[in-house]
Amino acid sequence: MLLMALIFTGSQYMNEVVGLDGAARAGAIVAANSALANANTATINANATKAVNQEQGCNCFTAVANQASCTTGMNCVWTVASTSPNNTPIEIVHVSYTVTSYLKFISNLSVTAQAGASA
């Protein structure tokens, strides 16, 4: 039973990693397009969060200002404006999600993903 529970928890974690990568990419594309439209930082973050929630099929992610604003156990999205080495503007979307373990002796697992896009 323990082995099955460990396998199930590991597969659940890997499923979330793959899903969050796709959600971060979707959020980055929306964030880059919002930045191209000269939206402010709060709007860019809100639009990216909406895209992440849509990609994940839930309304479980909250837009936060930065990583420090994302408390333990909270599902967060935040964006960072950056530039590439050739000075192309890039919007980087960070996504943090907590996976609840089915095993009591394993604490909740934190899954993070990030993706960037330029418009």
Side-chain angles (χ1 to χ4, degrees):
M1 285 298 266
L2 178 62
L3 182 60
M4 290 298 290
L6 286 171
I7 291 170
F8 187 71
T9 299
S11 64
Q12 179 188 16
Y13 179 80
M14 290 307 297
N15 185 45
E16 293 300 335
V17 168
V18 171
L20 280 186
D21 282 342
R25 278 192 300 276
I29 292 167
V30 169
N33 288 332
S34 295
L36 186 63
N38 295 321
N40 63 28
T41 303
T43 302
I44 291 170
N45 204 5
N47 290 344
T49 303
K50 187 183 295 185
V52 168
N53 279 325
Q54 206 168 27
E55 184 73 20
Q56 288 294 94
C58 68
N59 195 19
C60 53
F61 290 91
T62 304
V64 296
N66 52 40
Q67 184 175 7
S69 303
C70 186
T71 59
T72 304
M74 188 174 171
N75 301 327
C76 309
V77 176
W78 65 95
T79 59
V80 177
S82 185
T83 55
S84 71
N86 65 354
N87 292 326
T88 303
I90 298 174
E91 286 295 325
I92 301 172
V93 174
H94 299 267
V95 182
S96 178
Y97 181 72
T98 302
V99 178
T100 304
S101 173
Y102 292 100
L103 301 172
K104 298 296 182 197
F105 63 88
I106 296 177
S107 63
N108 293 338
L109 304 169
S110 179
V111 180
T112 59
Q114 71 179 21
S118 63

